[in-house]
Amino acid sequence: MASQAYDQPKLRGKRWWREVGWRHIVGIVAIAYCILPLLYVLSASLNPGGSLTGSNQLFRTVAAGNYTELADTNFGQWALNSLVIATVTALGTVLMGAAAAYAFSRFRFTGRRITLTGLLLVQMFPQVLTFVAIFLLLLSLGEVFPILGLNSRLALIAVYLGGALGVNTFLMYGFFNTVPKELDEAAKIDGASHAQIFFTIILRLVAPILAVVGLLSFITAYGEFVIARVVLQSQDNFTLAVGLYQWASDERNAPWGLFAAAAVLAAIPIIALFLFLQRFIVSGLTSGAVKG
Amino acid sequence: MSNRDSAPSGTTRRRGASTDVEPRPNESHARKIGPGFLVKLVLVALVDALGVYGVFAASAVGHWGIVAFLVVALVVVNVVYFSRRMIPAKYLVPGLLFLLVYQLFVMLYTGYVSFTNYGDGHNSTKEDAIEAILLQNDRRVEDSPSLPLVVVRDGDALGFAVIEEDGDVAVGTAEQPLEVVDDAVVEDDTIVEVPGYDVLSFAQVVEVQREITDLRVPLSDDPNEGALRTQNGSVGFISRSFYVYDEAADTMTNTDTGAVYRPNDEGNFVNDEGQELTPGWRVAVGLDNYSAMFTDSRISGSFFQVVAWTFAFAGLSVLTTFGVGLFFAIVFNDPRIRGRKVYRSLLILPYAFPGFLAALVWRGMLNERFGFINEVLLGGASVPWLSDEWLARFSVLFVNTWLGFPYMFLICTGALQSIPGDVIESARMDGAGPLRIFRSMTLPLLLVSTAPLLISTFAFNFNNFTLIYMLTGGGPNFPDAPIPVGATDILISMVYSIAFEGGSRDYGLASAMSIMIFIVVGFISYLGFRRTRTLEEI
Amino acid sequence: MTMRRSITIAAAAGLTLTLAACGGGDGGSEPTTDAQETTDSATGGATEGGELTGTLTIWADETRVDLVEDISAEFTAETGVEVEVVQKASADIGTEFITAVPSGEGPDIIVSAHDGLGGWVTNGVVGTVELGDTAEEFSPAALAGVTYDGQVYGVPYAIENIALVRNNELVSETPATWDELVAQATGLGTEYSVLVQQDPAASDPYHLYPLQTSFGAPVFAQSADGSYTSELAMGGEQGVAFAEFLAAQGAAGVLDVNITADVAKEAFLAGESAYMVTGPWNVTEFVDAGLDVSVLPVPTAGGEEAQPFVGVQGFFPNIDSENALLVNEFLVNFIATPDVQTQLFELGGRVPAMTEVAEGLDDPILEGFNEAGATGVPMPAIPEMSAVWEFWGAAEVDIITGNAPAAERWTTMVENVEAAIAAN
């Protein structure tokens, strides 16, 4: 459907407004809705010593002081930690989730339905109160595998991967089902193994959903702080979310300017990632594959 | 992983939910070694090595639970990956292992905690509680001197040798009260030799520092006279504990009043008059935490209001985020729009921001007097966004929509792509208008793939503690409620304030409540899944 | 008496130096020779056998972490004992301590304000400190802060309280009562008369407390020795009088729950008010911004003395520390010495806890806070306190905004708090 649109002659006048133009109006309103609070943060980040909520004159002062000051903090280390943790988590989630979705979509086995239901229900446990259990679990694990104990970034990734099969699996499962089974049947007749079908055929066909799930789990891991706060204990290991939370909870010194600058910078990887993945998310690989 | 492995899976699928019985290929595994098999071999070997290491390490520290789990996990992994059956399991095992350890175990543990009185005042083991009671009530005898001291050892028993105020040297251990010895050698006010004992060097003292600071050498057989103790290994002083623990009888006795405290079922030492000593310790309390939820009058007062709002909030949040997200997804799914990428990237911005920060910013912007919304957008109006009961509820939903629609936008954008273009195209050819296409084709197709996510979103918002806590703190509070609970409180935030902010933290009660919440939301979601036929379809 | 004291000090010096020797200290400091001989002869092969590899772990929140790191580096230089300082969020540090200690993961020492002490004692996670004669060197308020139920649990280093801060460019004389103050400040024609930070959901009982006590309505009754009982004392006539006062101030626009901490700070910095009730944490910023400020006691509103809460900052040991001797060495022979207390003051900029150091103050701002805090009362450290804050703040919001009749709302609040305390 995408390709046809480009072939059409350029729309003009009323018709353009009716079919396309109004979308720009919606877009502008939507963007205003989206970025107003963020402009507020941006304004605070450019206001040295400023507060987050104290001033309504946006961009009253513009100075890069807060940004240069970040260099003296652990911001760089935190950002690196966040990127590594979120990337590994996203990759792990995509791989394990896709594998599970493949199994659910292409095989019928005992306990399949109950596993699927169970996966969904397990995710509904209220996370807020599990920190005690996670703390004690990592405490014991750390005595056996020190690298999986408290204050380890790898341990945090492992905890996040515990949620790899969940909502995301369902998202992918639905998508896998839209890939015609005739494709794998054909490949099978050609002598491909289930692993070959999975890695070389299916994964390529479902690339859009892999991109979406990858992005979603990256964002989730990147912004998560309730569990990270329990697991990571030293400054060097903090993620951005934990570090920023700590700044935000500093009620007395309230380094809002610094905080806002960090938050602005922290949002950049997400936007970059989205721009990068947009091609996959939006390119409509599936429909092309069906035709080809 | 040989080619033959997968051959029958197509047929098994047609047989429905039966076990994956496969015809056995004639060739054995080993004869067909492809690169895939090698990769598998290396990976499984790595897992095995780690697992075996773990078994030994866990045995060494006595974590038998971990040992048992690792052994079972190793067997399962090896069987699954070297068997030519169980193909689905090959794809499920890695994720399931993580799920088992980091989610199921955590849930079970929370369930276990809900049957204990774990919380403030019952924070640790009985041994710790006894130690704390003894230490907290162990005071230096007033005007007692500081005495130069060395640590000595007689076999396994540690003791102190001390220069008393009159210059005599006395020595004793925990079992043996201080006794003056005549032939000790003292140089420069420091004891260097005590017959019958080894004098410990400072390095040796540091090695056993815990024992030394815990050590009490009684002055005489009468415990009321006090005991010699040290905090630094070189200076001693006389201190006296008001409590004595009798191990055989398992009682605490107050040496001043003579009152005897016995352990009770709630994990406290208590005397005949019912006075308790703190701290207590963790004990199993059965269903007490669960029954407290229904009998505590403080909870039941506002309970139904909170429950109603929790459902309304979770349900409406799904509607608004999905509605807005879907709307934008459709609007920007038209390839003729210039700058589509820019629009799309900006629309996910709210999602790219840490949620707790966004809630804080919104709180500032919604401030009645100084907030950006009132002061700038509404030209100085004073709308009580967060302090009026209904406006506060509206604000919570409004902010949650802002936070949550990009997720739906992403999902819907992805899902829209998966709807085959030719289906829509043929509908258009048949003369269906855009609204009609949306209602009878796009939306149903979208719902098929997103229904489970909508239910998950419902469940997520049902427990969306961070938003409520950061934005309104549950307020505005009901003035008359006997607990701090307010108009925007949802169940989980009410649990939080009862279990953690009401003076003492009660993990047992909090765990019991989260189990109950889980059962409620799980049950509703289960019904939801059934209703949307997702379960029937799979 | 003097004799005993000298022994203590000699022995303590001996220990310190042994530690230094073991840790490979260079022994360049002056008393080395003398004491070195003593310890060497006394402990024989002690130093040969002992590689002292102890590491102390200290938790501190974001407001104190730099200070603790600096002072710990000094301790390491002196003794060779490594110190690892771990930063924790101020909101969680106390409760995390309670969770971590029984699991064996707790720090050796926690640096914190004293108001969590009661909870730590009730949970049996904090160890005791025997200060000996050093105890007398601390100000009574500081010592009271680290004492619970007659037992000393930590070493204080600073005390902190709020006061009235005046912008001298706007006004230079300050009347003795709140009403006169408001009248004077209103006459100045600034945007705000007196800034008292608030929160739209939780008011701010801490910042309003001097005004409340000036009506004779302290939160908890104090027993004869000054320690708090769990008996609520803010009900009754005095409490109602204070509630009526709040309502009147709210109606007059003096108190406004929308003036949050950062709004208040910005407004004062911008010269929009001559007065602000706040603590030393903000005043540093005011001075840095070039404001000429004086720090004064909060004037009375109800006729009695306005008593702010005094918070005591201290170092508290873990009851379960594996390094009990090192912890004691750090607390008693390092932190509780005038030199280190002076350094802590220089690094932290708070009123010192040690009398001798406090007397040497020549900073008019800190002197002002010290004076305002002289009448103050220790912040209650009893666990019941945490039940009070939320009810208290919510009631004050309703009263200031006029959402509820003052007397009635205040009485309901007191009843609710009493019920909550009883339920625990």
Side-chain angles (χ1 to χ4, degrees), chain B residues 118-124 128 131-132 135-140 143-146 148 165 187-188 190-192 199-203 205-206 209-210 212-213 229 231-235 237 278-280 282 298 363 367-370 387 472-473 477-484 497 501-505 507, chain C residues 4 7-8 11 15 18-19 22 38 41-43 45-46 49-50 52 95 98-99 102 120-130 132 149-151 153 191-192 199-201 256 258-260 263 319-326 328 332-333 383 386-387 390-391 394 398 403 409 412 416 419-420 423-424:
Chain B
Y118 184 25
D120 269 357
H122 299 274
N123 195 35
S124 191
D128 284 348
E131 188 196 351
L135 181 72
Q136 284 170 3
N137 293 291
D138 188 86
R139 312 279 160 87
R140 181 171 186 163
D143 294 324
S144 68
S146 298
E165 279 179 295
E187 284 173 17
D188 295 334
T190 311
I191 302 165
V192 282
V199 175
L200 296 196
S201 71
F202 187 74
V205 168
V206 169
Q209 47 183 305
R210 268 301 289 282
I212 288 168
T213 47
R229 58 181 280 219
Q231 286 205 313
N232 57 13
S234 61
V235 180
F237 56 89
T278 59
R282 251 181 282 174
R298 299 185 304 139
R363 187 167 80 170
N367 182 295
E368 185 177 339
R369 179 163 166 193
F370 302 100
S387 47
T472 63
N477 279 17
F478 301 127
D480 298 329
I483 46 169
S497 69
E501 292 184 335
S504 67
R505 293 164 321 131
Y507 293 122
Chain C
R4 174 152 58 89
I7 291 175
T8 318
L15 176 58
T18 317
L19 286 164
C22 296
T38 323
S41 58
T43 50
L52 193 64
T95 49
I98 292 175
T99 321
W120 302 336
V121 172
T122 314
N123 282 304
V125 295
V126 62
T128 57
V129 177
E130 175 52 46
D149 233 349
Q151 178 72 280
Y153 291 94
E191 174 88 30
Y192 307 99
D199 180 278
D256 184 337
N258 293 306
I259 300 181
T260 51
V263 172
I319 194 172
D320 218 17
S321 169
E322 293 295 329
N323 304 306
L325 283 186
L326 296 181
N328 183 71
V332 177
N333 294 330
S386 50
E390 205 176 342
F391 289 103
D398 286 343
N403 277 352
R409 183 73 182 84
T412 317
N416 283 339
N424 285 318

Side-chain angles (χ1 to χ4, degrees), chain B residues 105-146:
Chain B
F105 174 81
V106 163
M107 283 170 58
L108 289 178
Y109 192 87
T110 308
Y112 159 74
V113 170
S114 74
F115 294 107
T116 70
N117 63 352
Y118 184 25
D120 269 357
H122 299 274
N123 195 35
S124 191
T125 59
K126 189 172 177 185
E127 291 76 52
D128 284 348
I130 292 168
E131 188 196 351
I133 292 171
L134 293 178
L135 181 72
Q136 284 170 3
N137 293 291
D138 188 86
R139 312 279 160 87
R140 181 171 186 163
V141 173
E142 271 182 53
D143 294 324
S144 68
S146 298

Side-chain angles (χ1 to χ4, degrees), chain B residues 27-48:
Chain B
E27 290 169 279
S28 95
H29 232 17
R31 277 184 233 153
K32 287 201 73 175
I33 298 177
F37 180 76
L38 282 178
V39 170
K40 176 171 81 172
L41 199 64
V42 170
L43 284 178
V44 175
L46 265 176
V47 169
D48 284 351

Side-chain angles (χ1 to χ4, degrees), chain A residues 53 139 229 235 246 252, chain C residues 86-87 89 92 105 160 262:
Chain A
T53 52
L139 199 66
R229 197 160 57 114
Q235 292 271 322
Q246 199 165 68
R252 290 182 169 177
Chain C
V86 178
Q87 181 176 338
D92 312 321
E105 285 290 305
E160 184 174 88
D262 49 354

Side-chain angles (χ1 to χ4, degrees), chain A:
Chain A
M1 60 174 177
S3 54
Q4 290 149 353
Y6 289 115
D7 302 337
Q8 287 172 359
K10 277 215 155 178
L11 299 170
R12 290 188 200 289
K14 267 192 181 166
R15 175 127 190 264
W16 183 83
W17 272 109
R18 195 156 48 89
E19 294 198 3
V20 180
W22 65 274
R23 295 173 199 260
H24 286 286
I25 307 284
V26 172
I28 288 160
V29 172
I31 286 171
Y33 172 56
C34 279
I35 67 168
L36 185 65
L38 307 177
L39 278 183
Y40 212 80
V41 177
L42 188 63
S43 159
S45 76
L46 293 168
N47 181 6
S51 66
L52 195 60
T53 52
S55 165
N56 286 324
Q57 292 169 273
L58 295 181
F59 304 105
R60 187 176 49 175
T61 46
V62 175
N66 288 319
Y67 289 90
T68 52
E69 219 178 293
L70 278 181
D72 301 331
T73 67
N74 289 321
F75 178 79
Q77 179 70 42
W78 295 346
L80 186 69
N81 291 341
S82 282
L83 286 177
V84 170
I85 289 172
T87 308
V88 177
T89 306
L91 289 177
T93 305
V94 167
L95 265 182
M96 293 200 291
Y102 177 61
F104 286 127
S105 166
R106 290 303 195 259
F107 302 100
R108 293 293 177 273
F109 50 92
T110 323
R112 175 173 166 279
R113 180 180 288 199
I114 203 160
T115 319
L116 260 174
T117 320
L119 280 185
L120 272 173
L121 293 183
V122 164
Q123 310 299 319
M124 287 164 194
F125 198 77
Q127 286 279 328
V128 183
L129 298 165
T130 55
F131 63 92
V132 178
I134 288 179
F135 180 83
L136 294 171
L137 169 66
L138 294 190
L139 199 66
S140 306
L141 278 181
E143 288 173 29
V144 179
F145 301 103
I147 199 163
L148 288 180
L150 287 167
N151 200 18
S152 148
R153 284 162 281 192
L154 194 63
L156 183 63
I157 292 173
V159 175
Y160 288 159
L161 287 182
L165 303 193
V167 172
N168 291 327
T169 304
F170 248 87
L171 192 52
M172 291 198 260
Y173 168 74
F175 208 92
F176 275 57
N177 283 344
T178 65
V179 176
K181 298 196 169 78
E182 291 75 21
L183 283 176
D184 2 346
E185 310 267 332
K188 217 171 288 162
I189 291 164
D190 294 346
S193 72
H194 61 88
Q196 281 168 335
I197 294 173
F198 175 63
F199 284 107
T200 59
I201 301 177
I202 302 281
L203 280 192
R204 270 203 315 199
L205 293 183
V206 298
I209 203 66
L210 298 188
V212 170
V213 167
L215 181 66
L216 289 177
S217 61
F218 183 92
I219 291 178
T220 311
Y222 195 75
E224 201 284 330
F225 77 100
V226 175
I227 296 170
R229 197 160 57 114
V230 177
V231 176
L232 305 175
Q233 305 189 317
S234 67
Q235 292 271 322
D236 291 347
N237 288 340
F238 277 4
T239 59
L240 274 177
V242 180
L244 292 194
Y245 171 77
Q246 199 165 68
W247 284 354
S249 65
D250 182 352
E251 286 168 15
R252 290 182 169 177
N253 294 335
W256 283 121
L258 209 58
F259 180 90
V264 168
L265 292 183
I268 290 175
I270 306 270
I271 298 161
L273 190 67
F274 181 74
L275 283 176
F276 174 70
L277 291 178
Q278 202 170 27
R279 190 162 58 88
F280 295 96
I281 295 171
V282 175
S283 61
L285 275 170
T286 330
S287 42
V290 176
K291 283 166 200 152

Side-chain angles (χ1 to χ4, degrees), chain C residues 299-326:
Chain C
T300 174
E304 295 185 33
E305 213 163 33
Q307 302 175 303
F309 276 136
V310 175
V312 177
Q313 327 279 317
F315 290 74
F316 301 88
N318 175 348
I319 194 172
D320 218 17
S321 169
E322 293 295 329
N323 304 306
L325 283 186
L326 296 181

